[in-house]
Amino acid sequence: TLASLAALSGILLALLERLDPLLQSAEQAANRRRMAGLHAGHGRREEAIGAYRAALEADPADVEALEALVEQLELAARPEELAQARQRLVELLPPPRRAACLDELARLLDERLGDPSGAIDALVRLADSEGAPGDVEERLEKMLERAARYEELAERLARRARAHAFDTPEAQEL
């Protein structure tokens, strides 16, 4: 029954908590991820967030814990903390996944946090990343224009024009 599963989960959590101080950092991080997963599975979001943060204290480069923390922060509607976690995650992910994370970070900063400067910084990094979406330059240019950062916009447009042959319609449009 559901009550017996909850009781077993509580017993398992208690055992994992007692085991935690006996473990080395990587094992401790994995143990704390398990505890966080149990909390998340029972809808205890705050406890899950705390446990994922504890896993990251044990192993700051734990991508699995950081990705799970990002998911929990998204569900908890905590955009400021979510932005910080995504920024940390960007530094740990390999290039193709980093691009997707930068894209999500730029949208979060722009749309939910109203931070166009931070969003522009993320888009600049994204534009220079492997696996960047095809529309990143246009998005960046629109943001630079909205933020009245005309010198940077002019530099980016000139760079794009130089990248195209001057007799192509794309270069003439720029």
Side-chain angles (χ1 to χ4, degrees), residues 66-81:
L66 195 48
E67 287 176 325
L69 177 62
V70 162
E71 181 181 326
Q72 291 299 311
L73 291 169
E74 181 71 53
L75 291 170
R78 290 161 60 172
E80 293 87 5
E81 294 169 78

Side-chain angles (χ1 to χ4, degrees), residues 144-166:
L144 288 168
E145 186 174 3
R146 242 182 27 216
R149 291 169 61 170
Y150 300 117
E151 288 181 26
E152 292 173 71
L153 175 58
E155 289 172 20
R156 292 207 76 83
L157 289 171
R159 190 174 328 144
R160 251 181 63 192
R162 284 190 301 272
H164 292 285
F166 283 102

Side-chain angles (χ1 to χ4, degrees), residues 2-52:
L2 194 55
S4 61
L5 284 176
L8 287 174
S9 175
I11 292 169
L12 181 55
L13 268 170
L15 289 172
L16 292 173
E17 286 172 2
R18 290 185 65 196
L19 177 65
D20 194 67
L22 306 173
L23 301 172
Q24 298 299 316
S25 61
E27 296 165 330
Q28 202 171 45
N31 186 55
R32 292 173 182 181
R33 278 195 317 270
R34 281 190 287 279
M35 288 189 286
L38 286 169
H39 286 302
H42 289 284
R44 296 186 300 261
R45 189 165 295 125
E46 291 305 314
E47 291 85 351
I49 288 170
Y52 284 125

Side-chain angles (χ1 to χ4, degrees), residues 30-170:
N31 186 55
R32 292 173 182 181
R33 278 195 317 270
R34 281 190 287 279
M35 288 189 286
L38 286 169
H39 286 302
H42 289 284
R44 296 186 300 261
R45 189 165 295 125
E46 291 305 314
E47 291 85 351
I49 288 170
Y52 284 125
R53 285 191 170 136
L56 290 165
E57 287 174 14
D59 181 3
D62 187 340
V63 172
E64 187 178 340
L66 195 48
E67 287 176 325
L69 177 62
V70 162
E71 181 181 326
Q72 291 299 311
L73 291 169
E74 181 71 53
L75 291 170
R78 290 161 60 172
E80 293 87 5
E81 294 169 78
L82 177 60
Q84 292 171 354
R86 281 200 187 283
Q87 287 168 340
R88 275 181 73 185
L89 190 55
V90 161
E91 302 307 321
L92 298 175
L93 290 174
R97 292 181 57 208
R98 182 180 307 136
C101 191
L102 276 167
D103 194 18
E104 292 167 359
L105 176 61
R107 291 179 195 281
L108 170 68
L109 291 168
D110 182 40
E111 297 167 9
R112 292 172 59 192
L113 292 175
D115 179 4
S117 180
I120 288 169
D121 292 344
L123 285 173
V124 166
R125 284 191 67 190
L126 177 59
D128 297 333
S129 295
E130 178 185 323
D135 70 338
V136 68
E137 285 294 336
E138 291 82 14
R139 286 172 48 207
L140 177 55
E141 291 161 6
K142 286 178 186 174
M143 289 206 73
L144 288 168
E145 186 174 3
R146 242 182 27 216
R149 291 169 61 170
Y150 300 117
E151 288 181 26
E152 292 173 71
L153 175 58
E155 289 172 20
R156 292 207 76 83
L157 289 171
R159 190 174 328 144
R160 251 181 63 192
R162 284 190 301 272
H164 292 285
F166 283 102
D167 58 348
T168 64
E170 293 88 4

